Amino acid sequence: MSDLRFMNDLVIAGRTFRSRLIVGTGKYPSHSIMRAAHEASGTDMVTVAVRRVDISRQTESLLDYIDTSKIFLLPNTAACYTADDAIRTARLGREAGMSNWVKLEVIGDEKTLFPDNEGLLEATRVLVKEGFIVLPYTNDDPVVCRKLADAGAAAVMPLGAPIGSGLGIQNPNNIRIIKEQATVPVIVDAGVGTASDAAVAMELGADGVLMNTAIAGAQDPVAMARAMKLAVEAGRLAFLAGRIPKKSYATASSPLQGVIGT
Amino acid sequence: MTIKLNGDPHDIPEPLSVSALLEQLEIDARRVAVELNTAVVRKTEYDSSVIKEGDEVEIVNFVGGG
């Protein structure tokens, strides 16, 4: 059970990742800090967004700061509010990145950035049919997660809390149920604020954690990236180790025999 | 003639291929994806796909995101 291979390997759609931590590429103070944070996190998969090229000026390419021989690119469909827009964006991402993987987002509400379940399921079905490896960002709803897996999603990525909120895992019981029922890997995506949040997600049994703001927005993103690496590993190991049951009252750790003065 | 490029009007002197447009704009074709009238243009079709008056072209690349 505690075999280190179990601890380290995340397998999605037959592809093996050494790290269970997936990291974003947005909102870092600079591209070079992002690169250093990726290195410190130990990640081998990062998300990227698909956006119009600025044709009025030459800009530095994000890809100059990602070693794609070591790090797998996962294009997202962030800011898409309809299945059609998400499908279009996924197709563009495939052409730009030359892989058929997509982090599928169909957003239903601007303020919370909560997913639109209906659109998400529809887009998942279409993209799976087109040969995509679909990793949908979804609500922490076990029923929706089951439907997504049934529709052919290669993993499900329930949110821990709203994107960028840093609130931590708001509904641990749902994440646990999702994992118990899941037939595909479960990646907790969004809501992590600090290392203990990532550890909690892993202790609940999640197969991995995806985060962006928690690292990019930290005062020291590189140090936080390392903290997240350690937290994900610690959480995974604790899950595999099997925690003790919770009890209301104390159980002494030291022997009750041989106490002096008795 | 005018096309719509990334949402804005853009003048081109005559119909031209996707390759030629990217060259004019000094964009590295390896790092972008192109849509012509909402359909993705495969990289192998950049030379043969011709952009004409009124066409809508989207040129995208990867940027930071989560």
Side-chain angles (χ1 to χ4, degrees):
Chain A
M1 241 333 240
S2 60
D3 189 327
L4 283 177
R5 280 175 305 174
F6 280 105
M7 184 175 158
N8 290 333
D9 286 354
L10 168 64
V11 181
I12 303 173
R15 191 184 180 101
T16 301
F17 298 93
R18 282 176 298 108
S19 171
R20 291 179 178 273
L21 175 56
I22 305 167
V23 182
T25 56
K27 301 197 285 189
Y28 290 84
S30 71
H31 281 156
S32 42
I33 290 175
M34 176 193 78
R35 180 167 56 194
H38 285 168
E39 178 88 30
S41 75
T43 190
D44 47 6
M45 173 153 52
V46 300
T47 55
V48 290
V50 177
R51 291 291 179 271
R52 284 171 168 165
V53 171
D54 185 349
I55 52 172
S56 62
R57 63 193 177 99
Q58 295 279 5
T59 50
E60 215 179 31
S61 173
L62 178 76
L63 296 185
D64 290 334
Y65 292 84
I66 300 171
D67 181 355
T68 50
S69 69
K70 291 183 188 151
I71 297 181
F72 185 72
L73 291 181
L74 180 63
N76 70 26
T77 63
C80 289
Y81 281 80
T82 64
D84 283 349
D85 281 350
I87 292 164
R88 253 178 98 183
T89 303
R91 289 173 181 153
L92 282 165
R94 173 165 67 178
E95 192 58 27
M98 308 309 281
S99 106
N100 55 352
W101 287 51
V102 62
K103 170 183 163 176
L104 184 64
E105 293 184 40
V106 181
I107 303 300
D109 177 60
E110 270 180 49
K111 201 168 179 181
T112 58
L113 297 179
F114 284 150
D116 178 324
N117 294 335
E118 227 177 339
L120 191 63
L121 270 164
E122 185 191 335
T124 298
R125 289 194 187 102
V126 171
L127 291 170
V128 166
K129 203 178 268 183
E130 291 184 15
F132 279 85
I133 304 297
V134 180
L135 285 65
Y137 156 73
T138 170
N139 287 98
D140 56 356
D141 177 340
V143 177
V144 173
C145 287
R146 193 188 63 217
K147 286 183 181 179
L148 288 165
D150 290 347
V156 290
M157 306 211 293
L159 54 85
I163 293 172
S165 70
L167 287 172
I169 314 303
Q170 294 293 286
N171 201 339
N173 198 43
N174 276 28
I175 301 292
R176 189 186 293 115
I177 293 170
I178 287 166
K179 178 55 198 173
E180 276 176 16
Q181 297 183 347
T183 53
V184 293
V186 176
I187 312 291
V188 171
D189 177 6
V192 165
T194 188
S196 53
D197 299 332
V200 166
M202 296 307 292
E203 286 170 10
L204 290 167
D207 296 281
V209 181
L210 194 164
M211 65 181 74
N212 186 353
T213 310
I215 292 174
Q219 284 189 29
D220 184 341
V222 180
M224 187 58 90
R226 176 153 168 73
M228 292 302 184
K229 171 191 165 73
L230 297 172
V232 167
E233 288 176 3
R236 179 66 180 169
L237 200 49
F239 171 72
L240 293 175
R243 60 153 299 149
I244 59 162
K246 290 184 182 180
K247 290 181 294 191
S248 296
Y249 295 96
T251 312
S253 301
S254 305
L256 298 175
Q257 287 78 38
V259 178
I260 58 162
T262 54
Chain B
M1 58 176 57
T2 305
I3 63 169
K4 201 180 215 184
L5 176 58
N6 283 0
D8 293 322
H10 183 85
D11 288 324
I12 54 171
E14 56 186 353
L16 80 182
S17 67
V18 169
S19 305
L21 178 67
L22 291 174
E23 204 171 309
Q24 268 185 21
L25 297 169
E26 295 178 18
I27 289 171
D28 183 348
R30 290 168 303 177
R31 287 190 167 178
V32 297
V34 178
E35 225 185 33
L36 178 55
N37 299 325
T38 75
V40 170
V41 183
R42 308 305 301 267
K43 284 187 165 54
T44 49
E45 295 161 0
Y46 281 3
D47 287 337
S48 58
S49 297
V50 178
I51 300 163
K52 300 178 292 290
E53 169 78 32
D55 279 350
E56 293 190 14
V57 179
E58 295 278 355
I59 306 173
V60 301
N61 63 354
F62 289 141
V63 301

